[in-house]
Structures are given as C-alpha cells and as structure tokens.
Amino acid sequence: KQEVTQIPAALSVPEGENLVLNCSFTDSAIYNLQWFRQDPGKGLTSLLLIQSSQREQTSGRLNASLDKSSGRSTLYIAASQPGDSATYLCAVIIGNEKLTFGTGTRLTIIP
Amino acid sequence: DTGVSQDPRHKITKRGQNVTFRCDPISEHNRLYWYRQTLGQGPEFLTYFQNEAQLEKSRLLSDRFSAERPKGSFSTLEIQRTEQGDSAMYLCASSSNMALGAFFGQGTRLTVV
C-alpha cells in the first residue's frame, strides 16, 4: 500500500526567505506526482504536476523536483510572501488511476 | 468559470438525516473522483468514475454512502442516516487523463449535529 509522508507538519518562516517542503512515498512505481495548495476551508488548487519521467517542474517562484528511486519530492518556494501561507499537499498518482495524498505541511509566512 | 463545481458549499444536518451533494466536473472530463478530508488530514479516496461506470470504491465508503454519475456528467454523493463521524469536507475532482493531473472543486463542508 502506497504511503505518502510530508515533513514537517507545520513550518513558519520570515517573509522573503526561500524554503523547501518535503514529500516522501513508499512505492516508487508512481505514474506522476502533483503538488496542491489548500487555503483554510477551501478546496485544492493544483500547483505543479511532475510526470514520472521528469526530474522537475517550475512555475514562477515554485520549483518541484522528483526522485523516484529514493521516493522523494521537494517543493521549493523562492522569496516567500505572506500570501504563500497555506497548507501544501503532495499526492502521488498510481497506475493512471487515483491520487494518494500526504497529510500536508501548514506553511505560515511571517511578515 | 469552467472549473469543478460543488453544491452546496456548506451543509449542517441533524444526525440520522440523509444528505446529497452534487459535483459538476470540468466539461469533457471523463474521470470523476470523490475524496473526504477531516481536519488536519490529507484527502482520503472514496470512489471514482470513468464516464458513468463506478470503477473503484474505498472501504471507507460504508453501505450508508452511495455515489452515482448517471449520464457520465455530474455526480451525486448521498449519505444516509448521517453520523457525527461523517462530519468532514467532501471534495470532488475531475480529470481527462491522469497524465495531466486532477482538478478539485471547492468542496462541501458537512457538519452533523
């Protein structure tokens, strides 16, 4: 059974700092991996999708990397802003079917 | 807005009542997923459809839960005889191809009192 872990569960950093969020998964036979953002009481907003054959994807200040062999992905946020405060979830997609989620990292950017 | 739409956004119900939620996927997305999320946890898979066919159901989906997608477009999730443990955010997602990922709606927050 695929298990997805995100550490730390919560993170607070001063505005302007660069930061890295971590995601690990137990079964490397993933189809792809997707990072989401969730604001309190809201749904999920897709940030980045990395295909299993890719090593990284970039969108603006966000960069996600994938190392299938070690079962890890990271989400790098450059020059953090208070608006980046949210919960960040990673999900692996198995067999072109469904997503399995981690428990998320709650990020707070301190102005 | 052509994103995934869920209705209602919030539902408060008394224990023992039945509730039904609706999800309208992105147009022409043939896959539709239901997830449940409790406070502080990641979303947990409940069930998914490809067109009108329900292809997989989680063991989380007790016999009080039923989902339909009658014409391969919108979907409904019904919970019968609600219990306080059913209180959660119910999320719907759709996809045309999981190589392109899934897209979520804003969710329906259920509170059972």
Side-chain angles (χ1 to χ4, degrees), chain A residues 1 31-32 34 36 38 41-46 49 51 89 93 95-104, chain B residues 9 31 33 35 37 40-43 45 48 56 89 91 97-107 109:
Chain A
K1 178 187 173 185
Y31 189 68
N32 54 28
Q34 197 167 359
F36 294 89
Q38 186 174 34
K42 304 292 186 182
L44 278 62
T45 300
S46 180
L49 173 77
Q51 304 277 359
L89 293 153
I93 299 173
N96 196 20
E97 292 186 344
K98 60 184 184 287
L99 300 102
T100 299
F101 283 87
T103 52
Chain B
R9 294 289 309 278
R31 292 174 181 237
Y33 301 81
Y35 283 79
Q37 185 180 29
Q41 300 297 312
F45 170 78
Y48 90 98
E56 186 174 345
M89 174 77 88
L91 295 162
N97 182 333
M98 288 305 267
L100 303 177
F103 298 88
F104 282 77
Q106 289 298 299
R109 167 71 67 187

Side-chain angles (χ1 to χ4, degrees), chain A residues 13-36:
Chain A
V13 300
E15 179 179 0
E17 285 198 1
N18 304 324
L19 60 100
V20 174
L21 306 180
N22 297 295
C23 173
S24 61
F25 45 93
T26 54
D27 186 345
S28 62
I30 64 171
Y31 189 68
N32 54 28
L33 185 146
Q34 197 167 359
W35 281 93
F36 294 89

Side-chain angles (χ1 to χ4, degrees), chain B residues 46-100:
Chain B
L46 292 179
T47 188
Y48 90 98
F49 293 83
Q50 182 158 323
N51 300 313
E52 66 275 11
Q54 189 173 17
L55 296 187
E56 186 174 345
K57 292 168 47 173
S58 165
R59 283 174 292 178
L60 292 174
L61 214 64
S62 76
D63 56 6
R64 296 185 297 106
F65 288 70
S66 63
E68 295 183 342
R69 194 182 183 196
K71 296 184 179 179
S73 56
F74 73 91
S75 175
T76 57
L77 177 68
E78 181 183 18
I79 309 174
Q80 296 183 328
R81 305 180 303 280
T82 52
E83 302 172 355
Q84 287 189 320
D86 297 331
S87 296
M89 174 77 88
Y90 290 83
L91 295 162
C92 177
S94 72
S95 175
S96 59
N97 182 333
M98 288 305 267
L100 303 177

Side-chain angles (χ1 to χ4, degrees), chain A residues 34-97:
Chain A
Q34 197 167 359
W35 281 93
F36 294 89
R37 168 190 173 130
Q38 186 174 34
D39 294 295
K42 304 292 186 182
L44 278 62
T45 300
S46 180
L47 297 174
L48 289 165
L49 173 77
I50 311 178
Q51 304 277 359
S52 61
S53 59
Q54 297 174 322
R55 300 281 298 185
E56 64 180 80
Q57 281 286 338
T58 298
S59 176
R61 295 182 294 107
L62 305 180
N63 176 278
S65 68
L66 175 63
D67 183 344
K68 277 183 59 177
S69 61
S70 67
R72 293 181 183 179
S73 176
T74 61
L75 180 66
Y76 174 83
I77 302 177
S80 59
Q81 302 171 359
D84 295 331
S85 296
T87 295
Y88 290 80
L89 293 153
C90 72
V92 297
I93 299 173
I94 310 162
N96 196 20
E97 292 186 344

